[in-house]
Amino acid sequence: VLNDTRFAAAGRVDSVMNRFSKEELTKIALLRETLNHWVIFADAPEHTRLRNGINKAFLPAVVARLRPRIQKLTNDLLHAAEAKGELDVIGDVAGPLPVMVIGEMLSVPPEDFPRLKIWSDTLAAIIGRPLRNIEHALAAQERVRQMTDYFISHFQKLNTSEPKEFLSDLSEAELTANCMLLISAGHE
């Protein structure tokens, strides 16, 4: 199965995009390029190279280093629920926590976590369904553009002493694209 091209990931983006005219494809070029950089749409050896770069962020030592911060984020969410007198496990903890943890892994400032959650929910909804029409694709591209601009700026600002386990192994386009994937799929 792994060597059978009928099951290949490569080309899936183009097969979805083939419903659009050449003019429309020009308008959604960033969306197409971004999706083509996602590890889930790549086959070996490209998939292996991307996955190996991303996996560095999930090494046991890296995750162990994040444990105290993850515990604090969890406690903060639980204390906020306690303060309001009720707990909606999904809405108060399970919904926001994964995006917050991924944000921590990417050294995103906590004040930007709500923005990540909005982007994540929107992108997951868009990507979770086929691109129905050009308006849908343009909306997805706008979200991708916002996230691309954010991550390019964010990674340029990072201090070189901060942990960046997988940043150096990926191109800027691959990095920003797979950050979007992590954020949108990491909590689904």
Side-chain angles (χ1 to χ4, degrees):
V1 172
L2 293 176
N3 293 320
D4 189 332
T5 58
R6 293 176 299 166
F7 300 101
R12 285 193 188 147
V13 173
D14 289 337
S15 71
V16 170
M17 298 287 183
N18 70 7
R19 72 185 67 191
F20 300 111
S21 70
K22 286 184 181 184
E23 180 183 323
E24 290 171 331
L25 286 172
T26 301
K27 293 178 181 179
I28 58 172
L30 176 63
L31 174 62
R32 184 178 183 187
E33 176 188 346
T34 299
L35 294 177
N36 273 315
H37 284 301
W38 280 14
V39 66
I40 61 172
F41 295 132
D43 291 316
E46 186 65 10
H47 175 87
T48 304
R49 185 184 68 77
L50 292 168
R51 188 190 67 228
N52 286 343
I54 294 165
N55 280 350
K56 290 180 181 179
F58 296 94
L59 293 172
V62 174
V63 174
R65 191 171 60 236
L66 286 172
R67 186 181 176 136
R69 182 68 182 135
I70 294 169
Q71 185 64 58
K72 181 177 182 339
L73 291 170
T74 304
N75 290 344
D76 291 348
L77 292 171
L78 291 171
H79 291 310
E82 183 179 38
K84 72 178 187 174
E86 63 183 24
L87 172 65
D88 173 357
V89 174
I90 301 298
D92 294 334
V93 181
L97 185 61
V99 172
M100 296 167 81
V101 171
I102 293 167
E104 285 288 329
M105 294 174 79
L106 299 174
S107 301
V108 170
E111 61 268 18
D112 289 345
F113 291 169
R115 182 187 319 186
L116 293 183
K117 179 70 172 133
I118 291 167
W119 286 339
S120 168
D121 291 345
T122 304
L123 194 57
I126 290 168
I127 302 306
R129 294 186 289 255
L131 295 170
R132 298 180 301 271
N133 52 45
I134 190 61
E135 290 78 20
H136 190 217
L138 287 168
Q141 173 155 291
E142 180 53 32
R143 192 59 76 200
V144 164
R145 184 179 318 282
Q146 291 170 358
M147 293 176 83
T148 298
D149 292 347
Y150 175 84
F151 281 117
I152 288 172
S153 173
H154 171 66
F155 290 128
Q156 287 173 349
K157 291 177 196 172
L158 279 181
N159 183 318
T160 57
S161 66
E162 291 190 49
K164 296 178 277 189
E165 278 71 22
F166 66 95
L167 305 190
S168 62
D169 293 341
L170 305 176
S171 71
E172 182 175 81
E174 292 166 343
L175 176 61
T176 58
N178 284 287
C179 285
M180 288 178 220
L181 174 61
L182 283 172
I183 289 169
S184 63
H187 75 285
E188 287 300 311

